[in-house]
Amino acid sequence: MWIVTLKGLLGHKLRFMLTGLAVVLGVAFMAGTLVLTDTIQVIFDDLVASVNDGTDAFVRSNEVVDSAFGEERNRVSAALLPQVRAVQGVAQAEGDLQFYAQVVDAKGEAIGNPGRGAASFGFIWNPGRLNAYRLVAGNSPSAAGEVVIDRGTAKKGNLRVGSKVKVLSQSAPQDFKVAGIVTFGEADSPAGASVSLFTSEEAQRLSGALGQYDGISVSAVDGVSQEQMVRRIDAALSDPKVEVISGATLTKENQDEFTQQLSFFSTALLAFALISLFVGSFIIFNTFSIIVAQRTREIGLMRAIGASRSQIVKSVIAEAALVGILASAVGLGIGILLAAGLKALLAGLGIDIPAGATQVLPRTIIVCLGVGTFVTIAASVLPSRKASRVSPMQALRSTGSDPMKQLGRRSTIGVVITAVGVGSLLYGLFGNVENPTLFVGIGALVVFLGVAALGPVIARPVSRVLAAPLPKLKGMVGVLARENAVRNPRRTASTAAALMIGVALVGFITIFAASIKNSIATAVDSAFTADFVVAAKGGGPPVLSGFSPDLAQKIKEVPGVGASSGLRFAGAELQGKGVFIIASDPATSTELFDVQPESGDFKQLGIDDVAVSSDRMKKEGWVLGQRISAKFPKGASTLKITAVFGLGQQAGLSDYFISLAGYDAHYTQQLDSQVYAKVADDANPRVVGREIQKILKEYPTAELLDQEQFKATRSGQVDQILNLIYALLALAVVIALIGIANTLGLSIVERTNELGLLRAVGMTRRQLRSAIRWESVIIALLGTALGLVIAVFFGWALVTALRDQGLSGFVAPIDRLAVIVVLAGFAGVIAAILPARRAARLNVLDAISQE
Amino acid sequence: MNTVTKTSAARAVAASKIYGSGDAEVRALDSINVEFASGMFTAIMGPSGSGKSTLLHVLAGLDPVTSGEVFIGEIELSTLKDKELTLVRRDRLGFVFQSFNLIPTLNALENMTLPLSLGGRKVDPAWQDEVVKAVGLGDRLGHRPNELSGGQQQRVAVARALLSKPEIVFADEPTGNLDSRSSSEVLSFMRAAVDNFGQTIVMVTHDAGAAAYADRVVFLADGRIEAELMNPTSATVLDRMKQLGG
């Protein structure tokens, strides 16, 4: 039996290469993701370890808020520093600060890629072991007005020692002299981030942390362990709001935090890799089904000469296993190469990952080979069972496609599976469950399987409708294309199902993005009453960036500006729940945003007051005037609800507003995310806009937008993410196209006689190619039609489920969906190129005389 | 040999077909000269390997000759490209094969009109009625091949060959897979096509009974024409075969 298996494989090399390709691509994607993230992980772990290399203990505040914006921790008093230094065994102790500092070059351009690249950080220059940087030119910063920058920044901004630069921070933009240039180990900069280092006093001034540090790094004398050091400092300090951790713990925490961020990224990529493999499994299933059908005679013969059913099953599965293992191995190899390529790509985008050995962990090898082989074998189980049902008698009859049997049963099964999938999906979205993603994900998967099971039942009628204009358009060629597409609905359906998945996801994400964009537009239209907004170019990273409040102040002073306010986005815990808060100037806010105040006085929000949306009030059962507990980076507090307003998160805003004064009191860093301005009634908006533009010359990371432009840039950001997801889904679509090409190729082998006959009675090569092309287009459009139906359902379900999160309504962008249909049609044409060429090349005489 | 006075529908002039080379060389056709007159039903007979099928394929433009010339009417086939050959087949020739004659996804009528629709030509309705009547399928025209008997399928194939009014119909063992009753139905239909419509038919067969339906029988052996017989009967054909077979 094993020899038969092996011979079967060798006899159909091309066929199995195509099948294998589906697995190769999916596995390569998976391997590439794992290798890349492992490599980044190791590089970053090393990076963190070397940053903290000299740190044996770290003193910091224990007041911390973990929000959507990451972990925000309170600062500690600089007065702790002499106390720490006095502890026995401390060799060196220095205060640390990390803050937003963006270097601007002589041309007035922000260095780096503030829109989407790595962040720009300011730090205190610490001497000795507590400094992770190495001077390669100039000196350490020793006075006010001096800055040391990383070599990456120096190169990008064409800066050298003695150059004059401007630094943006939460203080007003200021000039600095480059005192020195550093490297991070051998690298120009740590992971591509821009770094500027200042004296302790300058750093405190720039970050608004006078008399404060983020923490104190301690280096112990030789012979004192990290644990001993921690215990001694802990004993010496009496402040209950201060904690001491070892250098190792600090490193571990930093590494874990990064691992968490990275795992979000790798999970997302792996999800797309699994989608590709899922699509690939349809192709494997299809290929094995067709092969089994074509080999009916051979299998019957083997049964006749004494092969048992289980031997037939094993032989088919063994064939699948071999294909799976080989393809997974090739995919793994390609994935490893791909990871290197991806790294280069990231470097090209300005995310410079320092040099480090590519990490191919045993886990990567095991997972990739295992998953790839498993998918292949799983997809071949049904075809193998079908093979085992071939009776010895069938050796004697001619081959041929099996007629459709048990359609009724199949419909029932398909409908039941689809219903289960839909149920799970809806339960996940609306059922208020612990782990909605799981239910939604499995539900989506089951819906795909259910519709795929229904496929053979609906393939024929739907294809006939889709192909209805063909006979008119292409005459007999059109008739043949249509009839060939529907002659084996099972095969057509499972081929189309592979594309259906890709199209469903592409369509779904298109619908979802359109709904988001529509919600943004609606929110801006309904709430945005300002004339201008100043926002970060390209959106900007959400943490450790923004504008100095100096910008809002200068805009306020522009003649003709009526009302203006900086706007800050913040995370906090209210009544123990993590929430998203907007901070603004309450006196002017109601003129800039129409939040529809309902009760209380929005304009009088004080430091410890909060305005809450009426929607949220109802949900939480709060009343005006009630006090709620709050936890901010600067510590716990109690907020009084002094105003209730209408447009909350449902309208794309926030359920909570606090005053800028309140933000100031509760948060360490003071940066505006946006600045809003309304032109006074008697002023000319154009003139005012020009004046604001002048101010922005000093703020190269900012851009001035009117309401329409603001909408456009927000939509643009959605489109960027949309395009990224399109790119990630492209592989699944490509695999589906390989599937169409594969099926057509196999069908052509089956139809050799028929094609020969057609050619003999006068079909030209061109007509033959055209017939196959249109058959392919019909299959592609069938997959697209099914996919779009699912896409609309998924989109509607998710948008409805997220109504509370600020999605105002379901929007199906007809134009974009139409583009998908057209592209799918073209994709069908492309998939048909090789099979059509092969069919056209058939020798007529060979074809008609072949048995 | 030239008892035929009508114009020739197809002819081969010194046509040779050689497969392989050196020791493996096989002369399927050995410088053959033969002519097929218009309006005549000719049968080609011979033992297997005699080259009778090759002759048919060469005449039909399905297989190029190694040397010599082949004419359909006045068109010399060896100079034509694939596209032109295809059009000759579509517009001037008709085919009936031993098996697999019909496209399984098309019904009987669609199969019959296939060459015409491929050429984008309209069927002459009067002619179609006549052929359909002659084919004797009655109400089964809308049926697919797998719903027709073997004899019915072959008759549809003959009808297809006739419908485009080709200059010549080539039939390769059209009754090879049929029982005797179905065979006679198909052969009578072909005979009628020659008698009533003036159709030219060249048929390869190994069955003396089938050959008896023809006006003329050409006997092949080893790629050469060994003998000819006009107005054959089963008996005279069998007789001649015996002589040739030795």
Side-chain angles (χ1 to χ4, degrees):
Chain A
M1 275 321 275
W2 292 103
I3 290 176
V4 175
T5 301
L6 210 60
K7 289 252 153 100
L9 272 180
L10 291 175
H12 308 281
K13 268 179 262 158
L14 182 73
R15 179 181 300 178
F16 283 105
M17 265 166 60
L18 273 174
T19 316
L21 196 55
V23 181
V24 166
L25 293 176
V27 170
F29 194 170
M30 192 159 76
T33 303
L34 289 172
V35 170
L36 179 70
T37 49
D38 288 341
T39 304
I40 295 176
Q41 178 79 58
V42 166
I43 290 168
F44 191 84
D45 284 354
D46 291 350
L47 196 129
V48 168
S50 60
V51 166
N52 296 333
D53 189 31
T55 307
D56 292 314
F58 189 68
V59 181
R60 67 183 183 190
S61 166
N62 60 12
E63 291 175 312
V64 62
V65 172
D66 204 357
S67 74
F69 294 88
E71 200 181 81
E72 287 183 88
R73 194 177 286 274
N74 202 359
R75 289 170 176 156
V76 296
S77 163
L80 283 175
L81 187 54
Q83 295 177 35
V84 172
R85 280 179 175 159
V87 174
Q88 204 198 356
V90 170
Q92 191 192 352
E94 305 289 349
D96 282 325
L97 274 175
Q98 183 187 353
F99 54 96
Y100 169 65
Q102 169 71 51
V103 178
V104 177
D105 68 13
K107 281 177 272 169
E109 309 266 358
I111 296 174
N113 194 348
R116 60 160 187 256
S120 299
F121 296 114
F123 295 103
I124 296 178
W125 172 275
N126 282 324
R129 279 187 65 194
L130 293 172
N131 190 338
Y133 299 92
R134 199 156 58 90
L135 267 177
V136 289
N139 300 300
S140 55
S142 56
E146 286 189 352
V147 64
V148 166
I149 58 174
D150 65 279
R151 190 156 71 185
T153 303
K155 279 180 182 166
K156 281 178 223 155
N158 201 13
L159 302 170
R160 52 188 64 104
V161 174
S163 294
K164 229 182 74 178
V165 295
K166 206 175 277 286
V167 173
L168 304 180
S169 66
Q170 78 173 63
S171 300
Q174 296 166 51
D175 291 331
F176 281 84
K177 194 185 89 183
V178 175
I181 292 169
V182 291
T183 56
F184 183 81
E186 293 300 314
D188 280 351
S189 76
S194 255
V195 172
S196 22
L197 300 130
F198 305 87
T199 63
S200 183
E201 294 73 25
E202 281 290 82
Q204 287 183 339
R205 193 173 60 77
L206 289 176
S207 61
L210 293 177
Q212 287 178 321
Y213 296 119
D214 286 342
I216 296 166
S217 296
V218 179
S219 184
V221 294
D222 288 346
V224 175
S225 74
Q226 292 199 345
E227 287 67 32
Q228 284 171 318
M229 196 71 261
V230 168
R231 253 180 278 127
R232 284 189 201 173
I233 298 170
D234 210 21
L237 301 180
S238 51
D239 192 336
K241 289 186 174 172
V242 164
E243 65 182 18
V244 188
I245 56 169
S246 69
T249 308
L250 179 66
T251 301
K252 179 87 175 43
E253 272 185 20
N254 291 348
Q255 288 172 345
D256 288 350
E257 195 184 333
F258 182 75
T259 305
Q260 212 184 343
Q261 290 170 21
L262 193 63
S263 78
F264 177 76
F265 169 73
S266 62
T267 307
L269 285 183
L270 283 178
F272 285 101
L274 287 177
I275 290 168
S276 300
L277 276 172
F278 183 52
V279 171
S281 71
F282 277 78
I283 289 156
I284 296 158
F285 168 80
N286 216 15
T287 309
F288 275 93
S289 300
I290 297 173
I291 290 169
V292 164
Q294 290 180 352
R295 277 201 214 145
T296 304
R297 255 189 186 179
E298 187 185 319
I299 295 167
L301 181 65
M302 278 165 54
R303 293 276 288 126
I305 60 173
S308 71
R309 274 180 191 222
S310 79
Q311 276 176 316
I312 301 287
V313 169
K314 278 183 198 151
S315 138
V316 174
I317 298 233
E319 211 168 300
L322 262 173
V323 172
I325 291 168
L326 278 175
S328 304
V330 173
L332 180 66
I334 293 175
I336 293 168
L337 297 177
L338 200 69
L342 278 175
K343 213 174 120 184
L345 190 77
L346 285 179
L349 287 172
I351 304 166
D352 205 3
I353 302 162
T358 300
Q359 299 292 320
V360 185
L361 303 185
R363 181 263 278 133
T364 306
I365 297 172
I366 293 167
V367 167
C368 287
L369 292 183
V371 171
T373 310
F374 172 78
V375 166
T376 317
I377 291 178
S380 72
V381 166
L382 282 179
S384 79
R385 283 167 49 92
K386 199 168 161 198
S388 76
R389 282 192 221 110
V390 171
S391 77
M393 274 307 291
Q394 269 166 291
L396 310 171
R397 290 189 217 122
S398 71
T399 51
S401 328
D402 56 331
M404 288 302 298
K405 289 174 294 190
Q406 300 166 323
L407 268 190
R409 212 181 102 205
R410 182 171 268 274
S411 318
T412 318
I413 293 172
V415 167
V416 168
I417 295 176
T418 310
V420 167
V422 169
S424 166
L425 194 107
L426 295 181
Y427 182 60
L429 287 176
F430 300 100
N432 223 345
V433 278
E434 191 85 339
N435 196 346
T437 341
L438 188 74
F439 283 96
V440 173
I442 290 178
L445 192 86
V446 175
V447 166
F448 285 136
L449 290 175
V451 177
L454 272 177
V457 185
I458 41 186
R460 205 181 281 246
V462 174
S463 301
R464 279 200 190 281
V465 170
L466 289 172
L470 262 188
K472 278 246 161 60
L473 226 61
K474 306 299 291 184
M476 183 48 73
V477 167
V479 174
L480 285 168
R482 183 190 65 193
E483 293 307 317
N484 281 332
V486 299
R487 75 194 288 180
N488 192 332
R490 218 176 268 247
R491 186 181 297 177
T492 300
S494 58
T495 307
L499 186 63
M500 166 188 87
I501 296 165
V503 170
L505 295 173
V506 167
F508 156 69
I509 204 71
T510 305
I511 289 170
F512 189 51
S515 301
I516 290 177
K517 286 197 278 187
N518 180 58
S519 304
I520 290 172
T522 312
V524 171
D525 285 341
S526 64
F528 190 120
T529 50
D531 293 302
F532 295 115
V533 57
V534 173
K537 281 179 189 162
V543 277
L544 267 191
S545 82
F547 311 117
S548 163
D550 165 72
L551 175 62
Q553 186 57 40
K554 283 190 177 136
I555 288 173
K556 182 172 272 178
E557 289 162 7
V558 168
V561 167
S564 75
S565 170
L567 197 75
R568 297 175 194 175
F569 304 129
E573 281 174 29
L574 294 185
Q575 301 280 70
K577 249 195 273 179
V579 298
F580 166 66
I581 293 180
I582 295 180
S584 64
D585 174 11
T588 55
S589 284
T590 47
E591 287 179 63
L592 301 168
F593 324 100
D594 182 11
V595 295
Q596 299 174 0
E598 287 181 2
S599 55
D601 194 350
F602 202 95
K603 289 190 183 220
Q604 299 296 322
L605 279 183
I607 288 178
D608 284 316
D609 295 340
V610 61
V612 180
S613 74
S614 53
D615 194 46
R616 177 61 51 188
M617 293 291 279
K618 253 179 257 146
K619 267 190 202 151
E620 304 286 347
W622 294 337
V623 291
L624 191 66
Q626 185 173 345
R627 286 176 192 278
I628 54 177
S629 74
K631 203 172 154 200
F632 294 110
K634 280 195 174 176
S637 156
T638 309
L639 296 181
K640 188 179 173 194
I641 301 170
T642 58
V644 176
F645 59 95
L647 287 187
Q649 197 173 4
Q650 270 198 324
L653 296 171
S654 166
D655 280 341
Y656 306 94
F657 266 84
I658 60 171
S659 64
L660 285 177
Y663 187 94
D664 211 35
H666 297 302
Y667 291 85
T668 54
Q669 309 235 6
Q670 303 296 323
L671 289 162
D672 290 337
S673 299
Q674 295 163 352
V675 183
Y676 286 80
K678 191 174 174 63
V679 177
D681 290 342
D682 55 351
N684 180 344
R686 273 206 203 162
V687 177
V688 174
R690 266 203 298 275
E691 286 303 312
I692 296 177
Q693 289 285 17
K694 274 185 203 160
I695 295 170
L696 292 189
K697 285 217 176 92
E698 264 204 312
Y699 285 90
T701 58
E703 63 183 343
L704 180 69
L705 306 167
D706 63 21
Q707 194 174 331
E708 285 307 311
Q709 289 167 329
F710 183 64
K711 259 196 264 182
T713 56
R714 291 293 121 134
S715 291
Q717 287 161 23
V718 174
D719 280 336
Q720 260 184 13
I721 296 169
L722 184 64
N723 288 337
L724 185 71
I725 295 175
Y726 282 161
L728 290 169
L729 284 174
L731 188 64
V733 174
V734 167
I735 290 176
L737 293 186
I738 292 174
I740 294 180
N742 199 22
T743 301
L744 287 174
L746 290 168
S747 299
I748 283 164
V749 172
E750 230 170 55
R751 293 183 207 151
T752 303
N753 285 137
E754 190 178 326
L755 297 177
L757 175 66
L758 281 168
R759 293 275 291 123
V761 301
M763 188 179 225
T764 61
R765 288 198 164 128
R766 181 193 292 257
Q767 285 176 319
L768 182 57
R769 280 197 296 265
S770 174
I772 290 167
R773 202 155 47 225
W774 282 106
E775 181 182 351
S776 177
V777 170
I778 294 168
I779 297 175
L781 290 182
L782 173 67
T784 307
L786 295 179
L788 286 183
V789 170
I790 296 177
V792 168
F793 167 67
F794 282 5
W796 168 83
L798 188 64
V799 169
T800 310
L802 293 181
R803 191 148 275 177
D804 283 355
Q805 315 288 315
L807 270 173
S808 54
F810 169 80
V811 176
I814 300 299
D815 50 344
R816 273 184 182 250
L817 297 182
V819 169
I820 292 176
V821 173
V822 172
L823 287 180
F826 275 114
V829 171
I830 291 168
I833 289 177
L834 284 179
R837 189 179 295 175
R838 189 164 161 202
R841 279 206 193 130
L842 279 180
N843 180 302
V844 181
L845 199 58
D846 289 349
I848 50 175
S849 47
Q850 199 178 80
E851 258 301 301
Chain B
M1 199 204 271
N2 253 339
T3 48
V4 185
T5 51
K6 291 178 185 171
T7 54
S8 96
R11 65 196 155 98
V13 181
S16 292
K17 180 69 190 179
I18 300 167
Y19 296 107
S21 60
D23 287 344
E25 185 180 288
V26 176
R27 269 176 191 272
L29 293 180
D30 194 356
S31 194
I32 231 170
N33 288 299
V34 67
E35 210 166 320
F36 298 94
S38 281
M40 196 176 235
F41 189 170
T42 308
I44 301 175
M45 295 200 73
S48 58
S50 62
K52 58 186 191 300
S53 283
T54 306
L55 178 60
L56 189 85
H57 293 151
V58 160
L59 286 167
L62 291 169
D63 207 4
V65 288
T66 312
S67 66
E69 291 174 314
V70 174
F71 292 87
I72 293 292
E74 287 313 307
I75 302 168
E76 209 277 288
L77 297 186
S78 64
T79 59
L80 300 184
K81 296 199 178 68
D82 179 79
K83 167 95 194 244
E84 296 160 324
L85 274 175
T86 305
L87 297 185
V88 166
R89 287 200 300 268
R90 189 183 76 194
D91 299 336
R92 295 170 176 269
L93 306 181
F95 288 95
V96 183
F97 298 106
Q98 178 175 0
S99 60
F100 211 88
N101 253 311
L102 305 179
I103 301 299
T105 49
L106 302 180
N107 66 29
L109 186 62
E110 286 169 330
N111 263 294
M112 282 161 64
T113 57
L114 181 60
L116 289 171
S117 3
L118 282 173
R121 284 192 285 161
K122 281 269 175 295
V123 192
D124 172 5
W127 176 232
Q128 182 178 323
D129 283 350
E130 207 166 340
V131 173
V132 163
K133 214 177 288 165
V135 85
L137 269 185
D139 57 351
R140 305 190 70 86
L141 280 177
H143 287 56
R144 296 220 173 157
N146 61 2
E147 297 163 319
L148 301 175
S149 72
Q152 286 172 327
Q153 290 186 28
Q154 288 306 77
R155 275 185 281 151
V156 171
V158 175
R160 176 189 66 209
L162 295 178
L163 207 53
S164 56
K165 292 190 180 167
E167 290 167 27
I168 187 162
V169 171
F170 291 106
D172 191 358
E173 306 249 19
T175 56
N177 281 350
L178 299 180
D179 59 43
S180 60
R181 195 170 145 237
S182 303
S183 288
S184 69
E185 277 171 20
V186 172
L187 290 163
S188 306
F189 185 36
M190 290 169 75
R191 182 69 246 174
V194 176
D195 294 340
N196 303 338
F197 309 140
Q199 182 62 57
T200 311
I201 297 181
V202 176
M203 171 179 75
V204 164
T205 183
H206 61 265
D207 174 11
Y213 280 83
D215 298 313
R216 170 193 177 204
V217 182
V218 175
F219 293 92
L220 251 67
D222 299 327
R224 291 168 206 267
I225 293 178
E226 292 290 322
E228 269 196 53
L229 192 63
M230 297 300 289
N231 303 318
T233 64
S234 292
T236 54
V237 172
L238 278 172
D239 208 35
R240 187 59 62 91
M241 279 168 79
K242 249 180 236 158
Q243 286 172 19
L244 291 170

